[in-house]
Amino acid sequence: MKTIDILTIGNITEDINIINNIVYKSIGGTSFYAYKVAEKLGYDLRIITKLSDKFNVSKKIDLTKIIPQRTDLHTIFENTYKDGKRNQKILNKSGKIISKKLSKKLEKFNPKIVFYCPIFDEIDSGFFKLFNKSVKICNLQGFMRMVSKQNIHPRNNLPNISFEIFDAVILSEVDTNFENALKISSHSKIVCYTMGKKGVKIITNNEIKFYKTIDVINVDETGAGDVWGTSFIIFYYLMNKGLDESVVLSNISASLSVTGISDKKIPKYKEILKYYNV
């Protein structure tokens, strides 16, 4: 059985970004951004995702790092930027990732951390019962999304998930309100509530702490929350840094990532350190 640092469960997406009427195509989804952050910080990450033969990801992802469930239709986003604001549509939506179909492949891996990070609630509940010796992290965003006529809407209520199984839950103000973050905190050890350029609130041991981030020029905010979440996982659980330091470093990592399109500006550790304690 091979020990790996991080295993993500969630679909890779095709992202069509329209910025100043110029079209850029890229790969997206939390699993992809997590992979790129891990690559930059020097950690081994594998991805469980539905994957279409029509979607060539080999230029950006080492295919040996993917544990695929084959599909005819992959998820496609269209992000249009105008006056600094993003309008996001979903053009195609893939289906569930089924744990039983991948069980034999998963027996080969022993992940230190499992990152549950769906795009649209595509994770089969069977995955929650696996990897009981691993640290388990939940990115709530995909569990809170609904699609109607290509538009994405947040759900009003929290999903029917036992948050007790997670060591940390990551969510954003785009996903839901802070009251729901407080509800989750009564079940999970750490709750991270990201607020974009405004910073992050961390809830742990019945205490709320706020951490500001650095000011940058925002070019493409796609994946910023995913960069933050993966950076935090690595700094806190793999590099064993303290909570305060892990959050501040993750804020810097996410902020620097939005200064370029897609994954182009995801920083290495030495680049993050340039802004630490400045």
Side-chain angles (χ1 to χ4, degrees):
M1 185 177 289
K2 180 177 176 57
T3 298
I4 58 174
D5 295 316
I6 305 171
L7 175 68
T8 67
I9 309 175
N11 284 332
I12 297 169
T13 69
E14 180 179 359
D15 288 357
I16 301 172
N17 300 308
I18 304 172
I19 305 173
N20 297 325
N21 296 318
I22 300 175
V23 177
Y24 304 88
K25 289 188 177 182
S26 60
I27 302 171
T30 304
S31 285
F32 169 70
Y33 283 100
Y35 171 82
K36 299 307 290 187
V37 172
E39 186 178 57
K40 291 283 187 175
L41 297 179
Y43 288 85
D44 183 25
L45 183 146
R46 305 299 169 94
I47 300 169
I48 296 176
T49 179
K50 299 199 83 169
L51 194 62
S52 164
D53 291 335
K54 300 174 185 177
F55 188 22
N56 183 9
V57 301
S58 60
K59 290 183 178 180
K60 286 283 191 174
I61 304 175
D62 179 351
L63 295 181
T64 65
K65 304 294 185 179
I66 297 178
I67 305 168
Q69 181 182 324
R70 291 294 169 182
T71 182
D72 294 329
L73 185 67
H74 61 275
T75 301
I76 303 177
F77 281 102
E78 182 182 85
N79 302 301
T80 302
Y81 288 84
K82 186 175 181 180
D83 299 327
K85 295 182 179 181
R86 180 180 67 170
N87 178 47
Q88 190 171 58
K89 290 184 178 181
I90 177 72
L91 304 185
N92 284 329
K93 179 175 173 287
S94 190
K96 288 277 187 180
I97 308 171
I98 308 300
S99 57
K100 288 184 179 179
K101 291 185 177 181
L102 299 171
S103 58
K104 289 185 178 180
K105 293 181 179 179
L106 297 179
E107 289 173 356
K108 300 177 182 179
F109 297 101
N110 176 34
K112 296 177 184 177
I113 297 171
V114 180
F115 191 18
Y116 296 84
C117 52
I119 299 300
F120 289 111
D121 198 15
E122 69 267 19
I123 297 178
D124 163 34
S125 61
F127 283 109
F128 295 133
K129 300 175 183 178
L130 303 176
F131 313 114
N132 292 325
K133 294 182 180 180
S134 305
V135 172
K136 294 185 177 183
I137 313 295
C138 174
N139 185 354
L140 194 67
Q141 182 182 62
F143 293 107
M144 296 296 296
R145 283 172 162 175
M146 298 185 297
V147 178
S148 176
K149 296 180 180 179
Q150 295 189 327
N151 294 314
I152 302 165
H153 304 281
R155 297 180 185 274
N156 295 322
N157 300 316
L158 289 172
N160 185 23
I161 296 175
S162 297
F163 289 105
E164 291 87 354
I165 70 171
F166 300 117
D167 295 272
V169 177
I170 301 167
L171 63 158
S172 82
E173 64 177 0
V174 176
D175 306 331
T176 189
N177 54 51
F178 189 64
E179 286 74 17
N180 278 333
L182 290 171
K183 289 179 183 177
I184 295 171
S185 70
S186 64
H187 304 287
S188 184
K189 297 175 185 176
I190 300 174
V191 174
C192 310
Y193 189 75
T194 63
M195 301 177 291
K197 64 182 179 182
K198 292 181 287 185
V200 174
K201 289 181 180 179
I202 302 294
I203 312 171
T204 184
N205 296 323
N206 296 315
E207 182 182 6
I208 302 169
K209 292 188 71 174
F210 169 73
Y211 301 81
K212 65 180 180 179
T213 191
I214 61 174
D215 292 324
V216 295
I217 297 174
N218 186 343
V219 175
D220 179 13
E221 65 189 34
T222 306
D226 306 326
V227 171
W228 191 95
T230 313
S231 299
F232 177 76
I233 288 170
I234 290 173
F235 291 135
Y236 189 66
Y237 293 100
L238 294 177
M239 296 178 71
N240 296 313
K241 295 185 177 295
L243 183 61
D244 291 345
E245 184 178 5
S246 297
V247 175
V248 173
L249 291 171
S250 300
N251 281 352
I252 296 169
S253 180
S255 293
L256 293 177
S257 75
V258 307
T259 62
I261 296 169
S262 183
D263 63 303
K264 294 185 183 300
K265 290 294 184 177
I266 293 175
K268 294 182 178 180
Y269 186 46
K270 64 180 181 181
E271 295 170 311
I272 296 170
L273 289 180
K274 291 178 182 178
Y275 294 85
Y276 186 60
N277 283 334
V278 172

